[in-house]
């Protein structure tokens, strides 16, 4: 991975850590699980040597990893579709930055809509928050309209997630 590109793109993004692209990070190996637990991270134990770190990740500080030097292997290896394309020169760094900014604006709008509909649970991945809110029935005509707007905004964000960030890139689930 080109350090310059991760410095430029990833430190202004964080979508693979904040619950937008993924719901959790897979930890492999007893030492990795133990290391994260020693650092005070809550790990959901899956088996003797595996665990899951829920997202939004508690180590995320703004758009940067707060435990960068000690981050799990899965985080070290992950490169989204956009980062891969930027590394290959298929997309310019400027265009990649614009795409990150566009996605972050879409996320901001979805979060604002969730807040207006009373869902302020920032500890959940955004897709889960939307599913919870959209499952609610009834309410005023205005709430019904707000839910329809939320559904449309989340559908647009899902397209962005797949087309720009996941694409054919490797999954981190
Ligand atoms: S989603 Fe892609 S560009 Fe954003 S932080 Fe993750 S790897 Fe970097
Ligand atoms: S440990 Fe760091 S790199 Fe991994 S998901 Fe959390 S914030 Fe992101």
């Amino acid at each position: 991975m080109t350090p310059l590109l991760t410095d430029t793109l990833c430190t202004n993004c964080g979508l693979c850590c904040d619950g937008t692209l993924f719901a959790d990070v897979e930890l492999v190996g007893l030492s990795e699980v133990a290391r994260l637990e020693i650092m005070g991270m809550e790990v959901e134990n899956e088996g003797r040597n595996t665990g899951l770190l829920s997202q939004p990740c508690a180590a995320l500080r703004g758009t940067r990893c707060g435990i960068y030097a000690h981050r799990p292997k899965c985080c070290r290896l992950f490169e989204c579709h956009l980062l891969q394309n930027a590394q290959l020169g298929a997309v310019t760094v400027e265009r990649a930055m614009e795409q990150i900014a566009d996605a972050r604006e879409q996320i901001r709008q979805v979060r604002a809509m969730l807040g207006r509909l009373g869902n302020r649970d920032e500890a959940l991945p955004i897709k889960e928050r939307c599913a919870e809110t959209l499952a609610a029935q009834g309410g005023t005509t205005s709430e019904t309209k707000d839910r329809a707007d939320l559904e449309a905004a989340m559908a647009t964000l899902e397209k962005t997630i797949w087309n720009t960030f996941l694409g054919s890139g490797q999954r981190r689930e």
Side-chain angles (χ1 to χ4, degrees):
M1 196 182 286
T2 311
L4 195 61
L5 272 182
T6 54
D7 283 354
T8 310
L9 300 182
C10 299
T11 55
N12 286 292
C13 177
L15 300 195
C16 54
C17 309
D18 71 358
T20 300
L21 266 51
F22 304 109
D24 45 54
V25 175
E26 196 177 308
L27 306 177
V28 179
L30 203 53
S31 63
E32 183 157 89
V33 171
R35 191 176 73 238
L36 272 286
E37 283 179 335
I38 287 166
M39 284 190 290
M41 306 285 292
E42 200 171 313
V43 174
E44 194 182 315
N45 285 312
E46 286 281 290
R48 220 158 60 90
N49 290 328
T50 59
L52 293 175
L53 195 59
S54 295
Q55 290 199 2
C57 182
L60 189 63
R61 300 287 175 268
T63 53
R64 292 167 181 247
C65 177
I67 56 165
Y68 193 75
H70 307 286
R71 68 199 188 284
K73 185 178 175 192
C74 185
C75 302
R76 289 173 195 274
L77 296 179
F78 180 71
E79 295 177 357
C80 75
H81 191 52
L82 182 65
L83 182 58
Q84 288 177 5
N85 277 339
Q87 285 169 332
L88 291 170
V91 60
T92 63
V93 175
E94 292 72 23
R95 180 66 193 129
M97 289 291 283
E98 283 170 12
Q99 287 181 288
I100 289 168
D102 286 350
R104 289 181 61 79
E105 174 56 20
Q106 286 176 31
I107 292 162
R108 190 195 65 73
Q109 288 179 16
V110 168
R111 285 184 177 147
M113 288 176 184
L114 284 164
R116 281 198 293 280
L117 282 158
N119 186 327
R120 295 183 177 80
D121 190 355
E122 301 281 345
L124 281 180
I126 198 162
K127 283 185 236 180
E128 248 179 83
R129 287 181 69 190
C130 281
E132 264 185 8
T133 301
L134 293 174
Q137 300 290 321
T140 62
T141 309
S142 146
E143 282 168 346
T144 304
K145 184 187 174 306
D146 284 351
R147 279 203 295 271
D149 289 346
L150 172 65
E151 192 168 18
M154 190 61 218
T156 302
L157 176 58
E158 285 265 30
K159 268 190 208 155
T160 301
I161 289 170
W162 278 101
N163 293 343
T164 305
F165 294 93
L166 294 178
S168 58
Q170 70 188 89
R171 301 294 303 269
R172 194 178 71 177
E173 290 178 309

